[in-house]
Amino acid sequence: MDFSLTQEQQQFADAIKRWVAKDYNFEHRKKIIESPEGVSDSAWAALAELGAMALPIPEDQGGFNGNAIDMMIVMQELGRGIVIEPYFATVFGVEFLKLAGTHTGVLEQVAGGEIKLAAALAEKQSRHDLFDIATMATKNADGFILNGTKTVVLHGAQADKLIVSARSNGAQRDTAGISLFLVDVTSAGISRRDYRTIDGYRAADISFNQVQVPAGALIGAESAGWEILDAASDYGVTLLCAEAVGVIEAITNATLEYLKTRQQFGVPIGKFQVLQHRMAEMFMEMEQARSMATLAAVKVSSSDAEERRRTVSAAKARVGQAARFVGQNAVQLHGGMGVTNELPAAHMFKRLTIIELSLGDTDHHLARFVAQPGFKKAA
């Protein structure tokens, strides 16, 4: 199979790379992190102008109908620049609406960069099991009443609309009985506590207290949201794997440059054979992660749900292992400077750490991979 980029894909990647280099350099990024908002309106407008917002949106809603491979290219470039804007949160939310085939007007707004989305899925007891839902959706004459709390919602305080998972029936850890809703953040009864995460991103804990939403807020069918939630989460994992590859490449290059310039005993430390071996191991980890991230992007849209789950979990586990190995070794090779905020490598390491924990860590996805039908038989 030919994995080389098309001319259009390469041009798109180059455009984002030029924007990051010109308008989103490391010093500019640090200023955004330290700002009260934690994001940049001008950066968001630039991403929309570049077409990044419209890329995953269907053509009927003013988008480019980009597939997971197209999105992989964008996420890798944003990863190289450790861009902290709410791009992932928004396009992750888009996937829910695309899978359900609903709220086309919202997709049009996303394509134009007019609104941001966030997925409010995790709860304090759920850890990586997104089917473990205590938030309740009670049906009434006007639609549904939402009550509960969602935790660590990436860019939840910067979003205009939320994708919210809630239980309309069944036990707390049942996959049946889950409903998904598109909720306006201005709805009465919503409170958001915004905070900065260790990688410079923003997240929020969001409480729903007697929040009335109309029946039209449903994403998909009532009590039948698990399949959409499961598939959209795999899509989100695929995007994170692609972003991680971009970060891994950036931190590897930064480490190599440091070894060429840092001197000891009158020579660059990159001359020491043991450090050359370490860099070779980092390079191999990077290429294995790239291969698995690409495979996930190819398979995430598969009509075979078992194949999709198996491939995506294998990719997240392998990319997570590579992220940890490369990140830890990059910090060690930089010495004490590797953990200071003055160097991009420290920021990259923190981002890799958060990616490894997002939407299921390495151990979670290894267990999920093993649990898929046919694993023991194939072994």
Side-chain angles (χ1 to χ4, degrees), residues 313-360:
S313 282
K316 186 61 160 61
R318 188 65 194 91
V319 170
Q321 291 167 343
R324 179 174 297 182
F325 181 88
V326 173
Q328 290 178 345
N329 278 278
V331 166
Q332 290 176 3
L333 291 174
H334 274 85
M337 290 294 292
V339 293
T340 63
N341 282 333
E342 283 70 29
L343 284 189
H347 295 248
M348 295 170 187
F349 180 47
K350 291 173 183 177
R351 181 57 188 153
L352 287 175
T353 300
I354 293 297
I355 289 176
E356 197 273 332
L357 295 171
S358 299
L359 293 179

Side-chain angles (χ1 to χ4, degrees), residues 192-231:
R192 300 184 285 178
R193 185 176 70 88
D194 184 32
Y195 49 87
R196 186 191 301 170
T197 55
I198 66 167
D199 57 348
Y201 279 61
R202 307 294 296 196
D205 294 340
I206 304 179
S207 297
F208 301 85
N209 182 18
Q210 293 293 109
V211 177
Q212 177 70 59
V213 297
L218 267 173
I219 300 173
E222 179 185 352
S223 299
W226 170 246
E227 291 301 321
I228 293 176
L229 176 56
D230 189 41

Side-chain angles (χ1 to χ4, degrees), residues 290-321:
R290 191 193 311 279
S291 296
M292 289 304 299
T294 303
L295 181 61
V298 171
K299 296 293 186 179
V300 72
S301 300
S302 172
S303 57
D304 185 339
E306 292 178 4
E307 180 183 40
R308 183 199 75 222
R309 295 186 190 106
R310 184 167 57 247
T311 305
V312 169
S313 282
K316 186 61 160 61
R318 188 65 194 91
V319 170
Q321 291 167 343

Side-chain angles (χ1 to χ4, degrees), residues 157-174:
Q158 289 72 44
D160 301 291
K161 295 183 183 295
L162 303 169
I163 284 80
V164 181
S165 59
R167 184 159 299 285
S168 43
N169 60 62
Q172 181 175 306
R173 289 180 60 84
D174 289 348

Side-chain angles (χ1 to χ4, degrees), residues 128-208:
H128 301 306
D129 295 330
L130 296 182
F131 53 79
D132 188 337
I133 299 172
T135 298
M136 298 300 297
T138 306
K139 196 169 187 178
N140 64 8
D142 297 319
F144 296 85
I145 297 287
L146 300 182
N147 283 287
T149 301
K150 297 294 182 176
T151 58
V152 199
V153 179
L154 185 62
H155 286 122
Q158 289 72 44
D160 301 291
K161 295 183 183 295
L162 303 169
I163 284 80
V164 181
S165 59
R167 184 159 299 285
S168 43
N169 60 62
Q172 181 175 306
R173 289 180 60 84
D174 289 348
T175 54
I178 296 172
S179 295
L180 301 171
F181 300 90
L182 181 67
V183 182
D184 195 297
V185 297
T186 60
S187 302
I190 292 180
S191 61
R192 300 184 285 178
R193 185 176 70 88
D194 184 32
Y195 49 87
R196 186 191 301 170
T197 55
I198 66 167
D199 57 348
Y201 279 61
R202 307 294 296 196
D205 294 340
I206 304 179
S207 297
F208 301 85

